[in-house]
Amino acid sequence: MKRSIIIFLLTFLVTAGGIGTFYYFKHKAAQQETAENTVADEPAVDTTTEETTTVTTPQEQPSATDSETPATVTEPTPTDEATTQSGEAATTEGETTDTPEQTEETPQQQPEEPAITLPEGTKTNNPAHEATLLAVEHFKAEDPAKAITKLVEEKKMSPEAAAVVTDWLKENEPSGVEEIGDIRNHADGTKTYRYRVTTKDGASDLLIDVLTDKSGNNPYISAATTTPSDRTMLDASSDSMTTAEAFIQAVREGNMSKARSMVNPDTVSAATLAGLCMIFEEGTFVLSSETPIRNTVMSPSAALYLVYVVPSDNPNAPKVEANHIAMTLSRLENSWQVTGVGTDRLLDIYLMGAQKEGGRYFPIVKNPKGGESLALYFDFNDAALTPRSERQLQIVADILRESKGKLDIAGHTDDVGTEEYNLKLSERRAESVKEVLIRFGVAPEQITTKGLGKNEPRQLITETDDEARVDEKRGENRRAEIYLDFEA
């Protein structure tokens, strides 16, 4: 019985060993065939090395005491690892072999260029402003023509605007962007924002119009035009907004000649122009940095604009509706003309805040006889003009030289002193003004002077006035007035 069991076990072991050996070599043959098929199309792969690796790796592994271990089930595992390593080696070599083909394809697969973005920290006022700033970054690109074409393809700029910009860039380099204003009364509710792209050392700037939807979103650069860098210059193509900008620039510079050339003298007085020039010359007000000019009415023959200003010592102050200049423009045959200007409360605000150089300054005052006057103030018992008063007279002189009109100057005093003394003092004050005007190029025959002493005070002193109020009123009475009826 024991012998039968022993014979059965030996027979079973032999049979199992034979079957294991058969499947081992069959599996090995399949792996070799697979490896050969893998490298058959890759002539650069050294198959001899693979075969050597496959055979020798198991032999190099630490062996057990039993010499039959490779013939049992313990050896296929390292053999499989070796085969896997060989396969990986073949793949690596295959990738190396493919490198020349990838190199040949590289020109057809150019890396994507980095997107053009705004510089970090850039502040924008609205989507239209952001779109304009981003467009200018495209203008500054290494290949601006390609960058602009991309804007057109992305439907962020019209082809017509792109053509104007491309031509402009041939002779100009962008240096900055300034917001001019907006037009909000389109019939369909859309809005147009206008920006000026300034140039470095050039004679021509670029005007960009950005169209948005009713909410001010989805900006699209619809138009671009070139314009002189000198903002006071106009040409036949200048529209109403460009004319409004040019006029405001002229009064900001105190350029009376330019300002007067843009207005209808029958409806815009010299006094109004002088007052505007003085407001900006003093630096009391500056244009708002965000949408300084706003169109409120637009037709083919007429337009109305509001020009927003803010205090120079607080440029980020919110725009107050009263702090603006209202302008009406009318279209003539081929150009626009300023036909009306209103300063609303600006002069009043200016008068309250413009007390410098030791005197009181209320430049444009109502003349008791009608019309407006320019008032220049003096210190007590003094006939000398302050530097500020001389700057104001420079503006008046510019008007006189062009108009060839005549000017009446009246000197005044306060109530301190005798009437005879004050009469002579008032005459000296009027003559001081005349001398300065002549020095600025006004013909002497255009000017007449007179002294009125203390007989026509602007402020009457009452019994209820305290000492401070009395001093204030006397300061307003020590003056010379220029009646601004230059055309009379």
Side-chain angles (χ1 to χ4, degrees):
M1 182 66 179
K2 292 183 179 178
R3 183 177 180 182
S4 298
I5 293 173
I6 292 172
I7 293 172
F8 172 77
L9 292 175
L10 288 173
T11 303
F12 174 79
L13 291 173
V14 170
T15 302
I19 294 172
T21 302
F22 171 78
Y23 280 100
Y24 167 75
F25 283 105
K26 182 179 180 180
H27 179 67
K28 180 177 179 181
Q31 288 181 330
Q32 289 178 340
E33 183 179 356
T34 301
E36 290 173 358
N37 291 337
T38 302
V39 301
D41 296 331
E42 304 294 335
V45 178
D46 188 350
T47 57
T48 303
T49 303
E50 287 185 328
E51 292 173 357
T52 303
T53 302
T54 304
V55 174
T56 59
T57 299
Q59 296 177 0
E60 293 173 355
Q61 299 295 328
S63 59
T65 304
D66 190 355
S67 61
E68 290 184 1
T69 301
T72 64
V73 296
T74 59
E75 277 302 315
T77 299
T79 302
D80 289 342
E81 290 175 359
T83 304
T84 302
Q85 292 172 358
S86 174
E88 290 175 352
T91 302
T92 303
E93 292 179 5
E95 291 174 352
T96 304
T97 305
D98 287 340
T99 300
E101 297 180 6
Q102 293 177 352
T103 303
E104 292 176 0
E105 294 177 359
T106 299
Q108 300 176 3
Q109 300 177 354
Q110 294 292 340
E112 186 177 351
E113 296 183 1
I116 298 176
T117 60
L118 293 178
E120 185 177 356
T122 301
K123 295 182 179 180
T124 59
N125 297 331
N126 48 52
H129 187 214
E130 181 178 358
T132 303
L133 294 176
L134 186 59
V136 173
E137 291 301 315
H138 283 70
F139 303 166
K140 296 178 181 179
E142 184 175 351
D143 187 349
K146 183 177 180 180
I148 293 171
T149 299
K150 186 176 181 181
L151 288 176
V152 175
E153 293 173 348
E154 294 175 350
K155 299 189 182 304
K156 296 179 180 179
M157 176 183 285
S158 69
E160 295 79 9
V164 174
V165 173
T166 301
D167 287 342
W168 181 78
L169 287 172
K170 293 177 181 178
E171 298 181 358
N172 298 278
E173 180 181 357
S175 64
V177 177
E178 298 177 14
E179 186 172 358
I180 296 176
D182 65 14
I183 300 174
R184 295 191 168 193
N185 65 326
H186 296 314
D188 58 358
T190 58
K191 306 174 185 178
T192 297
Y193 294 81
R194 176 167 293 179
Y195 298 87
R196 177 183 287 266
V197 181
T198 56
T199 182
K200 292 181 179 179
D201 303 324
S204 174
D205 287 346
L206 190 67
L207 298 182
I208 289 180
D209 286 350
V210 183
L211 186 67
T212 69
D213 59 22
K214 298 178 182 180
S215 300
N217 297 316
N218 300 316
Y220 175 70
I221 299 177
S222 58
T225 57
T226 58
T227 187
S229 295
D230 181 352
R231 303 182 192 207
T232 64
M233 292 182 63
L234 297 172
D235 54 36
S237 63
S238 298
D239 59 13
S240 62
M241 181 171 281
T242 302
T243 303
E245 182 197 21
F247 174 75
I248 291 298
Q249 184 65 24
V251 296
R252 289 177 65 191
E253 295 177 357
N255 191 333
M256 290 295 298
S257 177
K258 284 285 186 180
R260 284 173 63 83
S261 69
M262 301 178 199
V263 305
N264 181 340
D266 296 331
T267 56
V268 180
S269 70
T272 298
L273 296 180
L276 284 175
C277 289
M278 291 171 191
I279 287 174
F280 287 109
E281 188 275 334
E282 285 296 322
T284 305
F285 294 105
V286 295
L287 292 183
S288 172
S289 60
E290 182 178 351
T291 318
I293 302 176
R294 173 159 293 164
N295 173 263
T296 58
V297 175
M298 176 68 73
S299 73
S301 59
L304 175 63
Y305 288 91
L306 297 180
V307 182
Y308 291 95
V309 296
V310 293
S312 57
D313 57 356
N314 188 17
N316 295 320
K319 289 183 291 188
V320 179
E321 196 69 21
N323 293 352
H324 65 249
I325 300 167
M327 299 172 54
T328 57
L329 289 86
S330 300
R331 185 170 180 80
L332 303 178
E333 293 182 359
N334 296 313
S335 63
W336 288 85
Q337 185 182 61
V338 178
T339 53
V341 177
T343 57
D344 202 73
R345 293 182 55 247
L346 285 180
L347 282 175
D348 293 337
I349 297 171
Y350 170 72
L351 299 182
M352 289 186 290
Q355 295 188 11
K356 303 175 183 178
E357 300 181 12
R360 292 166 175 77
Y361 299 97
F362 306 85
I364 305 300
V365 297
K366 293 297 181 182
N367 189 323
K369 299 178 181 180
E372 297 171 307
S373 296
L374 170 65
L376 306 171
Y377 296 88
F378 297 85
D379 289 337
F380 178 74
N381 197 30
D382 194 357
L385 288 166
T386 64
R388 182 179 182 280
S389 294
E390 292 197 10
R391 292 196 300 271
Q392 293 177 347
L393 288 176
Q394 177 69 69
I395 295 171
V396 175
D398 291 343
I399 299 175
L400 279 175
R401 287 198 305 271
E402 288 191 9
S403 68
K404 303 299 182 182
K406 293 189 177 181
L407 194 68
D408 290 329
I409 303 172
H412 302 268
T413 68
D414 60 26
D415 61 329
V416 179
T418 65
E419 184 168 346
E420 182 180 1
Y421 178 83
N422 282 323
L423 184 61
K424 292 181 179 179
L425 178 59
S426 64
E427 290 173 349
R428 294 205 311 272
R429 286 173 175 170
E431 286 295 322
S432 294
V433 174
K434 180 178 180 179
E435 290 173 3
V436 171
L437 289 173
I438 293 173
R439 174 154 48 93
F440 289 152
V442 178
E445 57 270 20
Q446 289 180 261
I447 305 171
T448 59
T449 63
K450 59 185 175 182
L452 299 177
K454 56 184 179 180
N455 296 320
E456 293 185 8
R458 289 198 62 82
Q459 297 285 350
L460 293 174
I461 298 174
T462 65
E463 294 180 356
T464 59
D465 292 335
D466 57 20
E467 185 176 351
R469 181 56 177 155
V470 169
D471 287 342
E472 182 179 348
K473 287 184 174 181
R474 284 174 174 169
E476 291 186 34
N477 291 333
R478 295 192 295 267
R479 71 198 189 281
E481 284 191 23
I482 303 175
Y483 303 122
L484 300 177
D485 53 352
F486 305 140
E487 313 303 331

